[in-house]
Amino acid sequence: MTFAALWRELEPFGRDQGTGGYRRYSWTPADAECRAWFTRQAENLGLTVEQDRNGNLWAWWGSRRSGAIVTGSHLDSVPDGGGYDGALGVVSALAAVEQLKARDFYPERAVAIAVFTEEEGARFRVACLGSRLITGAIEPASARGLRDDDGVTLAAAMTAAGRDPSLLGPDEDLLARIGAFVELHVEQGRALAPMGAAIGVAMSIWPHGRWRFDFAGRADHAGTARLADRNDPMLPYASTVLAARRLAGERGAVATFGKVIAEPGGANGVNSAVRSWLDARAADEETLAETAAAIRSAAADAAAEHGVTFEASRESYTPLVRFDEGLRDRITGVLGAAGITAPVLPTAAGHDAGFLAARVPTAMLFVRNPTGVSHSPAEHADLADCEAGVHALALVLEDLAGRP
Ligand code: GLV
Ligand code: MN
Ligand code: MN
């Protein structure tokens, strides 16, 4: 099937009719539909699909036990995410393998397409959970105990989906099979469009953390409680949001409160608690740590001012990633020889490639996003650029897997 035909088939799964955004959360029916679709497509291409102990899918072309060239991405989404984040890498991988098969390419090294679980951390709050587990970047016991907003643990969600969570953990046998990993991804941000380039290559990923900020006060009546008598957790929360913006801006970092839950959340009541999540990123780990500490301290001061208690905990952390320079140069060389100028870019978006990079030579290809908008139904890439991405990925796989 062509890229466009594959895209059309995957498009409806997990899409909210009202917003047009995707709600593909791990171990839900939408996730199961995506997994079943991928498995079908990979098997149609003659690949052998396996699920690893951490719930990631691997579609193998060739059975060699080491040196495999792996591509792929993820199929889960943020709440009301765009269609391209993750899915573009998976669909492009299928289309690239199809192109290689159509031209009778013989892979000297095995080629595999990986689909990683819970890359966004949208359900269980830890980003890149599947790749973190494989590489030992999270303890299996802590992963099993992660809870979604309804209190369902990852272990329970996996069991309900027919998986055995006791198997979770580092997968050295699988890692030993991988010679290189190349993830294709829609560009997040807008660097390629002004350069007139359809394809980019990743240089590094900014370090990234998520913190939970809990403010607890006292529920009260919105009409009768005198302002001076209130312990309203919404007030320190609100000033923390503004402080985060200022403190990050001063340091060239970014900080976002993208999720907030007010409890009990009545329109005519002062809340008893506000639970919120800070996402902060910076070009280096020191700046990130300093930014997060400054925001925490601003939150503690604001809470004290309003007679509210404050607690913070870090839920997810990803260190700075620098991709393998040798692999990157080889890829830009292969693309250059085919007349494709691919600028080398840093990114502030997280990726499974970041975790794989700690263990195997890893690279990323970006496909131009004309507006730069991502994690939004407005995320977009033109079909011609997606096709250019498939072409570039096929060239890279051909080069990497074509030699023993
Ligand atoms: C994932 O896309 C992230 O950067 O949070
Ligand atoms: Mn994303
Ligand atoms: Mn992604």
Side-chain angles (χ1 to χ4, degrees):
M1 256 196 255
T2 60
F3 173 90
L6 288 164
W7 194 255
R8 267 194 307 277
E9 277 202 16
L10 178 63
E11 220 165 17
F13 303 139
R15 189 172 212 171
D16 183 78
Q17 294 306 316
T19 63
Y22 287 91
R23 299 178 183 178
R24 292 173 176 161
Y25 307 135
S26 53
W27 307 117
T28 61
D31 181 57
E33 277 184 316
C34 291
R35 287 166 180 269
W37 176 82
F38 172 77
T39 302
R40 240 180 2 259
Q41 293 306 331
E43 286 176 353
N44 286 346
L45 283 173
L47 311 184
T48 306
V49 182
E50 292 167 3
Q51 196 159 161
D52 70 21
R53 52 196 292 183
N54 295 301
N56 308 300
L57 296 173
W58 296 78
W60 293 94
W61 177 13
S63 56
R64 276 163 224 78
R65 302 302 302 176
S66 67
I69 305 304
V70 180
T71 185
S73 191
H74 61 99
L75 289 173
D76 65 311
S77 78
V78 296
D80 281 340
Y84 295 80
D85 181 350
L88 183 63
V90 175
V91 175
S92 299
L94 289 165
V97 166
E98 169 139 13
Q99 281 192 7
L100 292 175
K101 289 206 160 204
R103 43 188 203 248
D104 288 332
F105 168 71
Y106 176 76
E108 293 288 347
R109 290 163 175 256
V111 170
I113 306 175
V115 178
F116 292 101
T117 299
E118 182 82 357
E119 190 271 352
E120 300 286 6
R123 182 167 180 196
F124 293 104
R125 301 182 192 148
V126 174
C128 300
L129 189 54
S131 51
R132 235 178 245 270
L133 276 160
I134 298 183
T135 54
I138 184 170
E139 285 298 320
S142 356
R144 277 190 284 273
L146 292 170
R147 286 180 190 275
D148 69 8
D149 285 345
D150 296 324
V152 178
T153 61
L154 175 66
M158 287 185 76
T159 305
R163 304 293 308 159
D164 179 357
S166 72
L167 300 176
L168 290 181
D171 200 331
E172 292 302 327
D173 289 348
L174 183 54
L175 288 171
R177 291 187 72 179
I178 306 174
F181 177 57
V182 181
E183 177 171 1
L184 177 147
H185 204 279
V186 68
E187 180 189 18
Q188 296 169 292
R190 188 172 175 275
L192 293 173
M195 294 190 240
I199 305 297
V201 176
M203 176 167 62
S204 56
I205 303 183
W206 279 22
H208 164 206
R210 296 190 197 179
W211 289 261
R212 177 166 163 175
F213 277 27
D214 283 333
F215 300 89
R218 189 185 61 227
D220 213 328
H221 192 289
T224 60
R226 292 189 330 139
L227 293 179
D229 293 340
R230 297 182 182 191
N231 303 110
D232 183 352
M234 193 58 87
L235 297 174
Y237 165 69
S239 46
T240 303
V241 174
L242 298 177
R245 167 78 182 228
R246 177 175 52 77
L247 293 164
E250 286 167 5
R251 291 163 175 79
V254 287
T256 310
F257 280 91
K259 175 169 174 173
V260 54
I261 300 173
E263 291 172 348
N268 54 352
V270 172
N271 284 296
S272 59
V274 171
R275 290 194 279 142
S276 59
W277 282 264
L278 167 69
D279 177 308
R281 311 180 191 212
D284 61 83
E285 295 189 39
E286 202 184 333
T287 307
L288 175 58
E290 211 213 315
T291 306
I295 298 170
R296 257 171 108 133
S297 152
D301 290 350
E305 194 185 319
H306 293 284
V308 164
T309 62
F310 167 65
E311 275 178 34
S313 58
R314 196 174 78 181
E315 291 196 332
S316 172
Y317 185 75
T318 309
L320 173 71
V321 175
R322 284 188 214 287
F323 290 110
D324 188 278
E325 283 183 27
L327 183 58
R328 186 175 80 208
D329 290 349
R330 183 159 165 183
I331 288 175
T332 49
V334 168
L335 298 182
I340 302 166
T341 305
V344 176
L345 311 167
T347 179
H351 299 287
D352 294 303
F355 284 89
L356 272 291
R359 301 298 302 277
V360 297
T362 296
M364 290 190 74
L365 297 176
F366 294 129
V367 172
R368 171 167 53 196
N369 176 339
T371 63
V373 173
S374 186
H375 284 185
S376 153
E379 181 182 83
H380 180 73
D382 289 340
L383 176 59
D385 287 350
C386 295
E387 288 169 345
V390 173
H391 175 58
L393 182 61
L395 290 171
V396 169
L397 296 179
E398 188 171 30
D399 176 65
L400 296 176
R403 294 183 238 167

